[in-house]
Amino acid sequence: MTPDVRPLVAGNWKMNGTRDALSQIKAIAEGVSGPLSQKVEALICPPATLLYVSTALATDSPLSIGAQDCHQAVSGAHTGDISADMIADCFGTYVIVGHSERRTDHGETDALVRAKAEAAFAADLTAIICIGETAEERQAEQTLQVLKRQLLESVPDAASAENTVIAYEPVWAIGTGLTPTAEDIKIAHQYMRDDLVARFGGEGKKIRILYGGSVKPSNAAELMAIDNVDGALVGGASLKSADFLAIYSAYETLLA
Ligand code: PEP
């Protein structure tokens, strides 16, 4: 955790969820409506097909709704893509950019991720910018250099605590059940914090840095307690409301 920073527990549904899954959004919206919501923010990023109806379902709750990607342009001939303006038009308030699956499946570069984050800012969305090393980079002991490069090249100069969240997701930890040790996460998050403060000053102290990669109810409390871990980006375990709410509720004890 970081002093005076409101943690964010964010769920990334990826390409999962049809209308049947809206009952999970409803249950999560209800489940995060208690007093903990004053201290901890909750967000679900469903597939784009469920975005508009999800924001409608979450209207009277503290649950935020976001998207999983946006195009860097405002509009135009980009078949299959959605713009940041379209997300805002559906009342989404966040967009994930640079997830490793986009970087791998679609060849997205740091420069493109940065352009997407800038498009998000222009639409008044908060960008969750994902970074993280591959297994090979970790084995070669390049984790911190990779994080430095990705922060420099993926995060726009206009980043602030309001419009930007960083998600540190070691690629090898996503969907594998593996996580770095608490000490490794502590070192990586401290490194990113120092880098953000060096570049953005006071804003860099407040930009939330999430950990992502095999977060589940059984490890959430330990992971969320680490210095400079300001919440989680959760994939698989966000699909079931009970699991997502159990992760969110880890903060009941941590902030008691
Ligand atoms: C993710 O894809 O952002 C993620 C962290 O997935 P999982 O929690 O399933 O590892």
Side-chain angles (χ1 to χ4, degrees), residues 98-184:
H99 191 282
S100 71
E101 287 152 14
R102 301 275 330 163
R103 291 178 187 259
T104 305
D105 295 356
H106 299 272
E108 294 193 1
T109 61
D110 286 325
L112 180 61
V113 173
R114 184 186 188 116
K116 289 182 174 208
E118 282 166 346
F121 298 172
D124 285 331
L125 301 178
T126 298
I128 301 180
I129 302 173
C130 300
I131 61 175
E133 82 285 358
T134 63
E136 293 72 30
E137 288 164 339
R138 187 172 193 84
Q139 270 148 26
E141 297 183 359
Q142 289 169 351
T143 298
L144 299 183
Q145 287 108 294
V146 169
L147 297 181
K148 188 174 186 60
R149 190 200 72 231
Q150 291 184 326
L151 282 176
L152 182 67
E153 296 179 9
S154 301
V155 179
D157 290 336
S160 69
E162 189 66 35
N163 64 22
T164 299
V165 173
I166 305 297
Y168 170 49
E169 301 207 301
V171 178
W172 54 273
I174 296 177
T176 58
L178 302 171
T179 57
T181 64
E183 186 59 21
D184 283 346

Side-chain angles (χ1 to χ4, degrees), residues 51 70-71 73-75 82-92 95 119-125:
L51 188 59
C70 67
H71 196 277
V74 173
S75 62
I82 62 170
S83 72
D85 273 353
M86 290 169 178
I87 296 164
D89 184 54
C90 291
F91 307 108
V95 60
F121 298 172
D124 285 331
L125 301 178

Side-chain angles (χ1 to χ4, degrees), residues 21-256:
L22 293 171
S23 58
Q24 301 300 312
I25 298 274
K26 217 163 164 258
I28 291 170
E30 282 164 14
V32 300
S33 289
L36 189 61
S37 65
Q38 303 291 322
K39 298 182 189 164
V40 184
E41 187 176 2
L43 164 72
I44 293 291
C45 299
T49 47
L50 298 182
L51 188 59
Y52 183 62
V53 67
S54 296
T55 59
L57 281 174
T59 303
D60 294 323
S61 88
L63 177 66
S64 300
I65 300 291
Q68 299 173 15
D69 180 49
C70 67
H71 196 277
Q72 66 276 22
V74 173
S75 62
H78 304 290
T79 303
D81 281 309
I82 62 170
S83 72
D85 273 353
M86 290 169 178
I87 296 164
D89 184 54
C90 291
F91 307 108
T93 50
Y94 283 83
V95 60
I96 299 169
V97 293
H99 191 282
S100 71
E101 287 152 14
R102 301 275 330 163
R103 291 178 187 259
T104 305
D105 295 356
H106 299 272
E108 294 193 1
T109 61
D110 286 325
L112 180 61
V113 173
R114 184 186 188 116
K116 289 182 174 208
E118 282 166 346
F121 298 172
D124 285 331
L125 301 178
T126 298
I128 301 180
I129 302 173
C130 300
I131 61 175
E133 82 285 358
T134 63
E136 293 72 30
E137 288 164 339
R138 187 172 193 84
Q139 270 148 26
E141 297 183 359
Q142 289 169 351
T143 298
L144 299 183
Q145 287 108 294
V146 169
L147 297 181
K148 188 174 186 60
R149 190 200 72 231
Q150 291 184 326
L151 282 176
L152 182 67
E153 296 179 9
S154 301
V155 179
D157 290 336
S160 69
E162 189 66 35
N163 64 22
T164 299
V165 173
I166 305 297
Y168 170 49
E169 301 207 301
V171 178
W172 54 273
I174 296 177
T176 58
L178 302 171
T179 57
T181 64
E183 186 59 21
D184 283 346
I185 294 174
K186 188 176 170 189
I187 291 168
H189 279 243
Q190 183 66 59
Y191 185 82
M192 292 183 280
R193 175 68 66 210
D194 292 346
D195 189 276
L196 291 171
V197 172
R199 183 166 166 205
F200 298 107
E203 283 298 305
K205 285 187 189 158
K206 296 182 289 175
I207 291 176
R208 290 175 288 187
I209 310 175
L210 311 184
Y211 168 76
S214 299
V215 178
K216 44 195 179 208
S218 58
N219 62 16
E222 189 200 357
L223 296 171
M224 298 307 102
I226 298 169
D227 289 353
N228 290 298
V229 173
D230 306 313
L233 182 54
V234 186
S238 70
L239 293 168
K240 289 206 181 104
S241 56
D243 287 346
F244 181 82
L245 291 170
I247 293 168
Y248 179 79
S249 301
Y251 279 102
E252 296 275 12
T253 322
L254 291 171
L255 295 175

